Amino acid sequence: MSETQAALQPKDGDGLVPVTVLTGFLGAGKTTLLNHILTAEHGRKYAVVINEFGELGVDNDLVVDADEEVFEMNNGCICCTVRGDLIRILGSLMKRRGKFDGIIVETTGLADPAPVAQTFFVDEDVRGKTRLDAVVTVVDAMNVLQTLDESPEAVNQIAFADVIILNKTDLVDEAAIAAIESRIRSINAVARLHRAQRGDVALTDVLDQGGFDLARALEHAPRFLEDTSHSHEENVTSMSYVMEEPLDAAKFQAWIGALLQEQGADILRAKGILNYAGENRRFAFQAVHMMADGDFIGPWKEGEARESRLVFIGRNLNRPRLRRGFESCRAQ
């Protein structure tokens, strides 16, 4: 067994099928990355959901049947073209559950990832069988700065990301890469960022990310949650908060519910790990616009700081107001 296969072995836990959403602007290299995932030696089979049949392009020698909603390819993957509702597609896939280990959803280059992410909030059957593991956004180092200036979709794709693959880094110099990474961080300070050439990244940097587990993300980038006070040039910004005192669960639910009701249209993503008073388990919270979800994800680890960490990514965010609201949720 290779190191990659060992690292990607199914983990004990919820038994849900992990879903990776692969997004990125036109020409960023999504299909190249998908190719890499599907042909690598990881010992797994993936079902692939794509927005447009013409974008598949996985391998020149693949034989596919465009008349079929679901079909198997010669490398062991199952592909679906999204001609209908994603919920229906996922339901169809789950009937073939034994044929694959995970699902990859590739969006079109102009897609906003929000509707895909929301699918895992709104449908109980989908939530009961799958879990959104990560939104992976591929970024074109050659063109990203101009694209961000011209396209709100590109900004949204970076804002939603749990993992960002900065692709085509061989085509720009180190100074340009530093400027790009700074721009990306001004939009999304908590996503894991990896450089790549022709989509060649370690599969352990893309798969099994546990993207909504903020504590796991912090293991890779502990400083990203520092609540800095500098302003951002982007319309979309990320703001993060840390609370050392335990939270009152009822107060937090009331506050976050009212906040999302009022500002949900501007809040692209919110996620955090919460320390509720009187509870020995960590609570994982996540939201996409006005839709929120959360659940306990296991006990606090020995020696782990029992503190609440919360991140907002969105537009028109008021840092002092969010801080005051979060602090009002302290347990008495």
Side-chain angles (χ1 to χ4, degrees):
M1 180 182 296
S2 69
E3 292 183 5
T4 298
Q5 287 175 309
L8 294 176
Q9 285 302 297
K11 296 175 172 56
D12 296 334
D14 54 23
L16 302 178
V17 178
V19 180
T20 300
V21 175
L22 182 59
T23 186
F25 205 69
L26 297 168
K30 295 187 303 299
T31 301
T32 301
L33 176 58
L34 180 60
N35 253 338
H36 174 54
I37 295 172
L38 296 183
T39 58
E41 292 294 331
H42 46 60
R44 287 187 170 189
K45 293 184 178 181
Y46 285 90
V48 180
V49 181
I50 58 177
N51 283 106
E52 296 175 356
F53 178 75
E55 279 202 350
L56 180 57
V58 176
D59 276 322
N60 292 333
D61 60 346
L62 290 182
V63 178
V64 297
D65 184 349
D67 294 328
E68 295 293 330
E69 186 68 46
V70 180
F71 51 86
E72 285 195 62
M73 302 189 301
N74 60 6
N75 62 352
C77 297
I78 299 173
C79 272
C80 311
T81 55
V82 182
R83 291 189 289 262
D85 182 53
L86 179 59
I87 294 175
R88 178 173 55 84
I89 297 292
L90 291 172
S92 177
L93 275 175
M94 295 314 296
K95 295 177 182 177
R96 305 159 190 258
R97 173 66 185 90
K99 293 188 176 183
F100 58 88
D101 303 297
I103 299 172
I104 299 173
V105 179
E106 181 186 3
T107 71
T108 64
L110 294 174
D112 185 337
V116 176
Q118 287 174 327
T119 302
F120 299 89
F121 290 72
V122 300
D123 187 85
E124 290 187 8
D125 190 52
V126 170
R127 289 175 55 185
K129 297 178 180 177
T130 67
R131 60 176 169 82
L132 181 57
D133 182 65
V135 176
V136 178
T137 298
V138 184
V139 174
D140 176 1
M142 275 286 290
N143 301 297
V144 62
L145 295 180
Q146 179 179 349
T147 302
L148 289 173
D149 289 337
E150 299 175 351
S151 172
E153 292 88 357
V155 177
N156 287 349
Q157 289 168 356
I158 289 176
F160 267 90
D162 301 295
V163 178
I164 296 172
I165 305 300
L166 181 57
N167 201 26
K168 306 182 184 180
T169 55
D170 54 321
L171 303 181
V172 295
D173 59 27
E174 187 63 32
I177 292 175
I180 292 167
E181 290 180 344
S182 177
R183 184 78 173 270
I184 289 172
R185 286 297 177 214
S186 75
I187 302 171
N188 186 334
V190 297
R192 301 169 208 170
L193 178 59
H194 305 286
R195 299 181 184 184
Q197 300 175 13
R198 294 174 289 280
D200 188 6
V201 296
L203 296 184
T204 51
D205 290 337
V206 180
L207 306 173
D208 287 339
Q209 295 299 291
F212 286 105
D213 185 344
L214 191 58
R216 186 170 176 181
L218 287 169
E219 293 175 4
H220 294 258
R223 295 177 60 86
F224 288 162
L225 271 185
E226 292 182 355
D227 185 17
T228 55
S229 59
H230 65 276
S231 60
H232 299 286
E233 62 174 1
E234 296 290 348
N235 186 29
V236 174
T237 57
S238 60
M239 296 181 181
S240 54
Y241 305 90
V242 179
M243 178 91 68
E244 295 181 356
E245 299 89 345
L247 298 178
D248 182 299
K251 288 182 179 180
F252 178 81
Q253 296 297 338
W255 170 67
I256 201 69
L259 177 67
L260 295 177
Q261 187 68 29
E262 178 184 350
Q263 287 189 260
D266 286 333
I267 297 176
L268 301 179
R269 286 283 297 271
K271 55 183 179 178
I273 300 296
L274 307 179
N275 176 30
Y276 284 154
E279 177 58 61
N280 291 322
R281 295 172 296 171
R282 300 177 297 164
F283 188 87
F285 166 80
Q286 54 181 305
V288 176
H289 291 308
M290 296 180 183
M291 297 181 184
D293 190 17
D295 201 357
F296 290 103
I297 59 171
W300 293 92
K301 299 176 184 177
E302 184 176 353
E304 181 180 10
R306 293 188 56 161
E307 57 189 18
S308 298
R309 297 172 178 265
L310 186 63
V311 174
F312 294 95
I313 301 174
R315 298 180 173 86
N316 305 312
L317 301 181
N318 185 311
R319 184 183 298 274
R321 184 185 179 196
L322 289 174
R323 175 178 289 282
R324 288 194 299 269
F326 189 37
E327 291 178 346
S328 73
C329 299
R330 284 192 182 98
Q332 298 298 322

